[in-house]
Amino acid sequence: MEKKERAGFSSKLGVILASAGSAVGLGNIWRFPYEAGNHGGAAFILVYLGCVLMLGIPIMLAELIIGRQARANTGEAFDKLAPGTPWKWVGLVGVLTGILILSYYSVVAGWTLEFIGEAVTNSFADKQAGDFIQSFNAFTTNSWRPVIWTVTFLLLTHFIIVRGVEKGIEKSSKIMMPVLFLLMILMAVCTALLPGAGAGLTFLLKPDFGKVNADVFLGAMGQAFFSLSVGMGVLITYGSYFKKDTNLTKTAFSVGMIDTLVAILSGFIIFPAAFAVGVEPDSGSGLVFITLPNVFQQAFGEIPVLAYIFSVMFYLLLALAALTSTISLHEVATSYLHEHYRLTRKRAATWVTTACIILATLCSLSLGVGKNMTIFGFTLFNLFDNITAKVLLPVGGFFISIFVGWYLDKNVVRSELTNGGTLRLPIYQLIVFILKFLAPIAIVCIFANELGLL
Ligand code: TRP
C-alpha cells in the first residue's frame, strides 16, 4: 500500500457539487441548445435522454468505480488495476482528450467574459436583432480580443487548480452551483412570458420523428458524453478523491439528474427566446450569444434596469458554470503530471496551462484569420469540438465500460457499488448488464449507423 496521503473531498455535498460542477457548464447552456437546434429540437432531446440513461450514467459509474478502487489519477489508474497491459492507453488518451477539450472550451469560456464586460458597460442597450449577429461575428473573428479573454480564463482556472482539491474545487463549486440553478429558473420563467415564445416551446416539446437520422443519434450520444463529462476520465480522477462511504450510484444519478435538468432548463430559456426574437434555432454556435442579449432588451425594454441586471447575471453565471468545468478538465492532466512525474502541483499546472494557452490561441484564431486553414473541412475549433465529443469520448466510454464490465473482478465492482456490502443495490445486475453489453453495443451501432454500415 502506498503511504502517501492523497487529497480528497471533505463532504458528501462537496462530492456531488464538484462532480455536478464539472458536468454542468457550457455543454448544457451553450452546446446543448445549439446541437438540439441543429438536429430539430424535441426528437433530438428524446434520443439525448435515452443516451444519458443508457450510456452516460452507467459509464459515469464505471469511471467512479475505477477511480475510487485505484485511488489514482486517470493516467495511472488503469495501470494500477491492470498492470503491464495496454489498458493504460485508455487513461493516457483520456488525459490528452481533456487537454483538447479544455483548449477549445476555454475559447467559448473567454467569450462569456467579453459578454460580461458588454453587459456591465450596458452595450446591449439600443441594439437591434441584426446588430447582435453582426457584433458577435465581428468579435469572434477578431484576432486579439477573444484570445486575451481565453488566456484570462485559463489563468483563472490555473489559480484555482493550484490552490488544490479541497480549498479550490470543492469550495468554489459549493457556492456556484446553487446560485446558478436559481438564476436559471428565474430566467426560464421570464422568457416563457415573451410574446411569440410559444413556438419555441413547441419546438422543444413536440417531436418530429421524421427528422431522426444517423446524425441525430451521433449528435445526441456525443452531447450526452460531453455534457456529463464522461468518457475521458474526469470522474476517474474525481472518484479517486471520494471517501469510502460515498454512495457511487446515488452520486452518479444525482449528477446525471442535475446536469440533465440544467440542459433542459437552458432549452426552456433559449428556444422560446430565439423564436420570440426571430433567430433561427439552427443558427449554430452563436445561438446563446446572439439570442439572449437581444431577449433582455425586448423583454424589459420598458424597464432598462432589469434588462441590465439580467444580462449581467446571465453571463456571470455562464462564466461560473464554465469555470467549474474547466477546473475538472485541468485537474485530470495536472494530477497526472503531479503524481506520475512527481512535479509540484504548481509546476504540473503550469505545464498544462501553457499547453492549453498555445492550443486555445490557435483555436480562437481559427475562427478569424485562420478561417481558411481547415483540416478535413473543419476549422481547428470545430475539429476539436467534433473529434472530442463525437469520437474520442464515445470511444473512451466504450473501453471504460468494457473494462469494468468484463475485465475488472466482479467482487471489486460489487464491493465498490455497495461500499463493501453495506449498501443494498437492487439494480446491481442491471448496471453490470448495461456495462457488459448494452452500452458497448449501442456505441458501436451508433458509429456504424453514422458511417452508413447499418
Ligand atoms: N461537461 C462540461 C460541460 O457540459 C464540460 C466538461 C468538463 C467535459 N469536463 C469534461 C466534457 C470532460 C467532456 C469530458 O460544459
Side-chain angles (χ1 to χ4, degrees):
M1 271 305 280
E2 207 180 15
K3 267 273 154 57
K4 196 181 61 167
E5 271 278 317
R6 284 187 96 238
F9 292 127
S10 65
S11 70
K12 286 187 187 152
L13 186 65
V15 159
I16 293 188
L17 290 181
S19 314
S22 160
V24 175
L26 297 170
N28 308 60
I29 302 169
W30 161 74
R31 201 175 188 281
F32 175 79
Y34 102 71
E35 282 285 302
N38 281 347
H39 292 301
F44 172 91
I45 295 176
L46 283 180
V47 179
Y48 173 78
L49 292 178
C51 290
V52 167
L53 269 180
M54 312 257 265
L55 301 173
I57 293 179
I59 296 176
M60 192 190 285
L61 254 177
E63 286 197 17
L64 293 175
I65 292 171
I66 296 172
R68 194 169 64 173
Q69 178 66 27
R71 291 258 155 233
N73 62 76
T74 307
E76 294 181 318
F78 287 91
D79 211 36
K80 271 206 171 162
L81 300 179
T85 63
W87 281 110
K88 70 164 184 265
W89 288 103
V90 178
L92 295 175
V93 171
V95 174
L96 254 173
T97 306
I99 291 187
L100 296 186
I101 296 178
L102 183 54
S103 299
Y104 93 89
Y105 195 91
S106 46
V107 174
V108 185
W111 298 348
T112 64
L113 297 183
E114 162 85 9
F115 274 67
I116 293 175
E118 290 195 23
V120 169
T121 53
N122 206 16
S123 342
F124 298 136
D126 325 314
K127 277 192 184 157
Q128 306 299 322
D131 301 335
F132 287 105
I133 299 177
Q134 215 212 355
S135 70
F136 175 75
N137 289 339
F139 164 66
T140 51
T141 53
N142 183 302
S143 294
W144 59 272
R145 250 184 116 84
V147 172
I148 289 178
W149 287 126
T150 300
V151 172
T152 308
F153 206 93
L154 279 167
L155 292 178
L156 226 72
T157 308
H158 178 87
F159 288 118
I160 297 188
I161 283 286
V162 170
R163 295 193 64 197
V165 171
E166 202 192 316
K167 277 198 217 112
I169 300 176
E170 191 176 334
K171 264 213 184 114
S172 35
S173 302
K174 253 186 194 164
I175 305 170
M176 292 182 213
M177 289 294 300
V179 176
L180 178 136
F181 205 68
L182 286 179
L183 284 177
M184 286 188 74
I185 291 181
L186 202 68
M187 290 180 57
V189 173
C190 286
T191 56
L193 297 176
L194 288 177
L201 293 176
T202 311
F203 183 78
L204 262 173
L205 296 173
K206 203 157 159 234
D208 174 0
F209 291 107
K211 289 194 177 138
V212 178
N213 55 19
D215 279 349
V216 168
F217 279 97
L218 186 68
M221 170 167 77
Q223 178 58 27
F225 278 98
F226 189 88
S227 187
L228 295 171
S229 301
V230 160
M232 55 140 288
V234 160
L235 292 156
I236 296 180
T237 298
Y238 274 22
S240 76
Y241 302 139
F242 281 19
K243 293 192 166 153
K244 276 285 161 219
D245 65 349
T246 302
N247 185 335
L248 297 188
T249 319
K250 241 192 193 157
T251 307
F253 272 98
S254 315
V255 172
M257 289 288 292
I258 295 173
D259 188 73
T260 306
L261 270 177
V262 175
I264 303 279
L265 203 53
S266 84
F268 275 96
I269 298 174
I270 284 147
F271 290 115
F275 280 88
V277 298
V279 170
E280 291 296 324
D282 60 354
S283 57
S285 61
L287 186 64
V288 179
F289 292 94
I290 292 167
T291 315
L292 288 174
N294 194 353
V295 168
F296 298 131
Q297 303 313 317
Q298 296 212 359
F300 307 108
E302 314 280 300
I303 328 166
V305 67
L306 277 186
Y308 180 84
I309 293 174
F310 271 95
S311 309
V312 175
M313 273 194 338
F314 179 74
Y315 289 103
L316 202 60
L317 168 167
L318 196 56
L320 293 180
L323 189 59
T324 48
S325 300
T326 54
I327 288 169
S328 76
L329 289 160
H330 201 297
E331 176 67 17
V332 169
T334 298
S335 63
Y336 171 63
L337 294 183
H338 169 52
E339 293 175 354
H340 190 73
Y341 295 101
R342 309 205 179 284
L343 305 178
T344 60
R345 219 182 134 79
K346 194 166 173 189
R347 173 150 303 165
T350 307
W351 278 109
V352 176
T353 306
T354 311
C356 288
I357 286 180
I358 296 170
L359 287 172
T361 303
L362 294 175
C363 276
S364 182
L365 293 176
S366 82
L367 296 173
V369 284
K371 206 170 12 213
N372 297 323
M373 293 182 351
T374 54
I375 307 165
F376 308 123
F378 289 115
T379 60
L380 196 64
F381 179 94
N382 285 329
L383 182 75
F384 278 20
D385 182 0
N386 280 293
I387 220 169
T388 52
K390 293 181 182 164
V391 182
L392 291 170
L393 295 179
V395 169
F398 173 83
F399 285 113
I400 288 165
S401 66
I402 298 269
F403 184 76
V404 173
W406 295 92
Y407 184 90
L408 212 55
D409 184 347
K410 282 296 141 313
N411 292 326
V412 166
V413 176
R414 184 180 275 280
S415 155
E416 279 299 337
L417 287 175
T418 60
N419 289 350
T422 55
L423 297 174
R424 282 198 50 232
L425 188 63
I427 57 166
Y428 172 74
Q429 295 295 351
L430 177 68
I431 293 170
V432 171
F433 174 78
I434 293 180
L435 290 176
K436 258 189 145 137
F437 301 105
L438 199 74
I441 292 173
I443 295 170
V444 169
C445 287
I446 290 175
F447 277 134
N449 192 18
E450 174 70 17
L451 295 171
L453 304 175
L454 275 186

